[in-house]
Amino acid sequence: MLPAPPPRSAFPWYLASSGLWMAGISLQGFLFTWLLIGVLETPAAAAGAARSIAEFPPLLVLLLGGLLGDRIEGRRYLGAMHLLMALPPLLIAAVYLAGLLNYWWVVVFGILTASIQALSDPARQSALSRVALLDVQRAVTVMTVFTSLVGIGGIYLGGNLERLGLGPVLLVQSGLFLLGLIAVAHLPRMPIPAAAAMRLREGLQTLWQVPLIRNIIGLNLLSSLFNAGAYIIAIPFIVKAVYLGGAEMFATVMIVFTAGSVGSNILLLFFMPLLRPGRLFLYMQLTRIVVLGILMLQPEPWLFYFMMFCWGLNMGVTTTLVRATVQELAPPAARAQILSVLLLSFLVSSPLSSLLLGLLIAETSPLDALLPGIAISLLIFLLGARSSGLWDYRSTGLPLQLPVKT
């Protein structure tokens, strides 16, 4: 049978827990990158290898996270993840205070946090359909806007690393995850979905039987490989080597990019639910070519910041549309597993692109690492328009209903 609608307070508490989680994760992304490049002054090839090493282990646990997310009561599972994520910052704070921080400790930091995030994210994203009274497009967009705004605070904190010191910043990061436990405790129980005994193989078969889900995840993998990868590994070196910036400039660039992402999602809210989200996703590939092309010309700093804002606008739209479409199409009994495959398409690209783009930067220049993204964006548009089904896809725009065990 269909469950009773969630209480109105469920979605605000979900946003609070996800916002605190994102603040800690955003700070983590800043710390991991800047500790390698800005503090330890790691060469490009070694920095790319560090990110690859740190992000390969989470790939092994991401599908497990989807499986567990469909089999364990949601509130209890998310609470356990918040508690686990509070531990790695405390470990690295102790290592730093003991004077032992080095390249491999930063890699360990990345492995631990990325692995816990991989276990958590499928269940967190699947839970959105259990707590929101909105249609899925608006629910995903509101969550993205709110968590991104809170995430800017985490990046801002990282930008003050040189003034506050690494130890206090790591303690605050741990505290953010612990505060999230309070919000999780106020969520309603999220019972195991009916038919959640579906095994991993069956969940993957379900994904393969829905061609549109399969195709959009494949295109997202292509996009993440050299677009998201360029942002992760090339931009820090562009800031440091091309514009001679430090931690404050790097944090500003991340904030500007995130502000663009937030702005695009706020704009999307006025037009949602979108009837043809696939077409907008494909058109955004063409606009990204323009943005990356201008960035490759090494523009003046003000134009560099503006282009980063535009890149954030672009990535905000495409990421939200991909997540909303997959969430809308995924069968309830396998939703967390299918979302884990989507997240895998984001995660698997990062270590591969970091390694490849790190080597490219070492042999050429940071700006040249943007060129592959231009070619990939054109390829995505052509493939997506001709054979993916995205061009003709019509969204239902309806709220999701989830049957539960009785």
Side-chain angles (χ1 to χ4, degrees):
M1 69 175 187
L2 294 177
R8 291 187 177 275
S9 64
F11 192 42
W13 281 116
Y14 174 85
L15 290 177
S17 70
S18 297
L20 289 164
W21 180 270
M22 181 56 69
I25 291 297
S26 298
L27 179 55
Q28 165 64 22
F30 176 91
L31 287 174
F32 181 78
T33 299
W34 197 250
L35 286 176
L36 287 170
I37 297 172
V39 176
L40 300 178
E41 298 187 346
T42 307
R51 182 167 288 277
S52 296
I53 295 169
E55 293 184 353
F56 267 123
L59 302 181
L60 304 177
V61 302
L62 184 57
L63 296 180
L64 175 63
L67 191 64
L68 294 176
D70 282 332
R71 291 172 175 262
I72 300 177
E73 192 274 315
R75 183 176 63 184
R76 180 160 54 95
Y77 187 77
L78 291 179
M81 293 300 103
H82 273 267
L83 188 60
L84 281 175
M85 190 62 102
L87 299 179
L90 298 179
L91 170 64
I92 299 303
V95 169
Y96 171 73
L97 293 175
L100 300 175
L101 187 67
N102 58 27
Y103 177 87
W104 289 109
W105 272 117
V106 175
V107 170
V108 168
F109 189 28
I111 290 174
L112 292 175
T113 52
S115 296
I116 298 170
Q117 184 180 3
L119 283 173
S120 171
D121 278 359
R124 181 175 300 279
Q125 295 199 18
S126 179
L128 176 62
S129 303
R130 316 284 295 274
V131 298
L133 297 171
L134 302 171
D135 63 85
V136 66
Q137 287 187 13
R138 286 193 177 99
V140 170
T141 305
V142 169
M143 181 193 71
T144 301
V145 169
F146 183 82
T147 56
S148 297
L149 285 172
V150 178
I152 289 175
I155 298 170
Y156 176 80
L157 180 63
N160 288 275
L161 176 66
E162 293 163 353
R163 180 171 61 86
L164 298 175
L166 179 59
V169 169
L170 287 166
L171 292 177
V172 171
Q173 184 187 23
S174 180
L176 290 169
F177 294 119
L178 291 175
L179 280 175
L181 274 171
I182 300 174
V184 170
H186 286 83
L187 293 174
R189 291 189 73 256
M190 289 177 275
I192 302 169
M198 183 179 291
R199 292 173 294 181
L200 178 59
R201 180 175 57 84
E202 295 169 330
L204 295 178
Q205 286 176 344
T206 301
L207 181 152
W208 193 257
Q209 291 165 2
V210 184
L212 187 54
I213 296 180
R214 183 183 69 213
N215 292 340
I216 197 170
I217 290 177
L219 291 175
N220 184 70
L221 173 60
L222 277 177
S223 178
S224 299
L225 191 59
F226 288 112
N227 289 313
Y231 172 73
I232 290 170
I233 195 67
I235 293 302
F237 282 101
I238 290 174
V239 168
K240 186 174 175 63
V242 177
Y243 291 95
L244 305 179
E248 185 175 354
M249 182 180 181
F250 181 47
T252 302
V253 169
M254 292 182 72
I255 289 171
V256 167
F257 182 90
T258 305
S261 176
V262 172
S264 68
N265 280 274
I266 292 174
L267 186 62
L268 279 174
L269 279 174
F270 289 98
F271 299 96
M272 284 180 163
L274 301 173
L275 179 61
R276 294 188 180 276
R279 293 188 181 183
L280 180 57
F281 171 81
L282 295 174
Y283 283 133
M284 295 307 291
Q285 307 304 316
L286 300 180
T287 64
R288 189 186 296 133
I289 292 174
V290 177
V291 171
L292 295 179
I294 294 175
L295 286 173
M296 283 194 67
L297 298 177
Q298 191 179 335
E300 292 296 316
W302 70 267
L303 184 54
F304 171 71
Y305 283 122
F306 180 69
M307 285 297 102
M308 291 304 302
F309 179 81
C310 292
W311 195 1
L313 282 170
N314 186 288
M315 293 288 282
V317 171
T318 55
T319 301
T320 296
L321 292 179
V322 167
R323 288 178 173 172
T325 301
V326 173
Q327 184 112 339
E328 187 174 73
L329 293 171
R335 183 169 292 134
Q337 291 186 57
I338 290 175
L339 287 171
S340 73
V341 178
L342 173 62
L343 292 169
L344 185 65
S345 73
F346 284 105
L347 290 182
V348 74
S349 63
S350 183
L352 291 175
S353 61
S354 295
L355 187 60
L356 294 173
L357 294 179
L359 293 172
L360 180 61
I361 291 170
E363 294 296 325
T364 57
S365 75
L367 293 172
D368 288 335
L370 301 176
L371 183 58
I374 295 176
I376 289 295
S377 296
L378 179 60
L379 179 63
I380 291 171
F381 176 80
L382 295 175
L383 287 176
R386 294 189 59 175
S387 57
S388 70
L390 276 173
W391 188 264
D392 297 320
Y393 170 64
R394 296 170 66 95
S395 171
T396 62
L398 297 175
L400 295 176
Q401 296 292 332
L402 182 65
V404 297
K405 287 183 176 180
T406 57

